[in-house]
Amino acid sequence: MVAMTQEQEFQELVDADQRIEPRDWMPEAYRKTLIRQIAQHAHSEIIGMQPEGNWITRAPSLRRKAILMAKVQDEAGHGLYLYSAAETLGVGRDELLDLLHAGRQKYSSIFNYPTVTWADMGAIGWLVDGAAIVNQVPITRCSYGPYARAMVRICKEESFHQRQGFEILHTLSHGTPAQHEMAQDAVNRWWWPSLMMFGPPDDQSPNSAQSMAWKIKRFSNDELRQKFVDMTVPQAEVLGLTLPDPEIRWDEAAGNYAFGDIDWTEFFEVLKGNGPCNAARMEHRVRAHVEGSWVREAATSYAEKTAARVQEGAA
Ligand code: FAQ
């Protein structure tokens, strides 16, 4: 009998839907792909705090402010679980943050758009968190254990986020004509960027085939985008809002909603750094990191003193 290579054994485990854990052997390219995706995901969560943080001081009531603060804090928590998941692959959080700050790692395109009215909080919750759920629920079955497990709790919280966004939009949509218009305007602006969150079309997605063979991704970018459209069109009807795409119609033969062409030029421009808020997001992130250095120094010093005291006690 010919002995299997480590790589073949690894692929057999993946094919059998077994989880890969940090101490297991894994191909270097698998490790690198996971670090790339998990880091990008973590960065998205913390940069994603900015557009919503912008409205905490201007929320229209105490109740709305408390809910928004909780949501933004959840995003910070998601970032932390994800950086921890990345650390199990042998890369430090500080290294990943340095790569983000140097523009060598990405974060989601969606967070490069401005939040100009309160209704944007509703549209982000409903559409952006809605898209995030559709993308992330399959990652709870990702082949890499720590990433899959982090995603279970994240998805539960995203589900709450999506409902709060829906509720904001429902209230506005059924309020005064001006409030209805504000809700419609926010949906008009966030719809297409939300579809772009799923990544480039399958025939322009260099990473998909390998990531699917490794079961990091369970569905292709286009499959998830379609699921999102199918889920969202009926919800828009309940909200009493329209989606800004005259080509959306039920396609009986396909059994799903057909929709219009996405402007991929806009997507690739945003990825290159030319979106409306790329520069502002990075500037804010780097400043927050520099201004927060005293917290990291204090935490390191406290940890060193505590360790020294424990050692003294043991001596
Ligand atoms: N933005 O070959 P593919 C959230 C890049 S969390 C920027 O298809 P892949 C929660 C991609 O990295 C949102 N870049 O790549 C929240 C690659 O470039 P690279 C984040 C994008 O990895 C809500 C290149 O294009 N979620 O929203 C984007 O197989 C509200 C080619 O693409 C995740 O990260 C994009 N949209 O598939 C927080 C989920 N799309 O790295 C606050 C996990 C693609 O080779 C408030 N990630 N690129 O230089 C994934 O599922 C995948 O990484 C995809 C991309 C599907 C995003």
Side-chain angles (χ1 to χ4, degrees), residues 35-36 39 43 83 91-107 282 286 289:
I35 291 175
R36 178 185 63 79
H43 300 328
Y83 286 121
V91 60
R93 193 193 308 176
D94 47 352
E95 270 177 83
L96 296 178
L97 285 171
D98 286 347
L99 289 169
L100 170 69
H101 299 158
R104 289 172 56 205
Q105 280 185 343
K106 296 187 169 75
Y107 60 90
M282 284 309 291
V286 171
H289 188 71

Side-chain angles (χ1 to χ4, degrees), residues 36-37 40-42 44-45 48-49 52 71 75 78 106-111 124 128-129 132 135-136 139 147 158 161 196-200 204-208 211 217 221 224 267-268 271:
R36 178 185 63 79
Q37 179 168 325
Q40 177 172 322
H41 196 164
S44 303
E45 298 283 357
M49 296 167 73
E52 290 175 294
K71 179 183 192 288
E75 310 302 358
H78 298 174
K106 296 187 169 75
Y107 60 90
S108 180
S109 51
I110 193 73
F111 301 117
I124 290 184
V128 176
D129 285 281
N135 169 270
Q136 288 169 192
I139 307 178
Y147 191 24
E158 300 293 23
H161 296 169
M196 294 174 196
M197 279 177 75
F198 294 93
Q204 293 175 55
S205 164
N207 301 299
S208 276
S211 287
K217 284 169 93 161
N221 298 355
L224 292 174
F267 172 76
F268 288 115
L271 256 58

Side-chain angles (χ1 to χ4, degrees), residues 5 20 39 43 47 64-66 75-76 101 125 130-131 146 168 187 193 196 208 236 239 241 253 278 286 289 315:
T5 63
I20 306 300
H43 300 328
I47 298 259
R64 292 290 187 204
K65 189 199 277 268
E75 310 302 358
H101 299 158
I168 290 176
V187 169
M196 294 174 196
S208 276
L239 285 172
L241 297 169
N278 295 59
V286 171
H289 188 71

Side-chain angles (χ1 to χ4, degrees), residues 102-150:
R104 289 172 56 205
Q105 280 185 343
K106 296 187 169 75
Y107 60 90
S108 180
S109 51
I110 193 73
F111 301 117
N112 292 306
Y113 292 86
T115 43
V116 293
T117 71
W118 168 252
D120 288 10
M121 299 304 97
I124 290 184
W126 179 46
L127 295 174
V128 176
D129 285 281
I133 294 169
V134 170
N135 169 270
Q136 288 169 192
V137 166
I139 307 178
T140 61
R141 294 189 295 117
C142 163
S143 57
Y144 188 58
Y147 191 24
R149 288 189 289 275

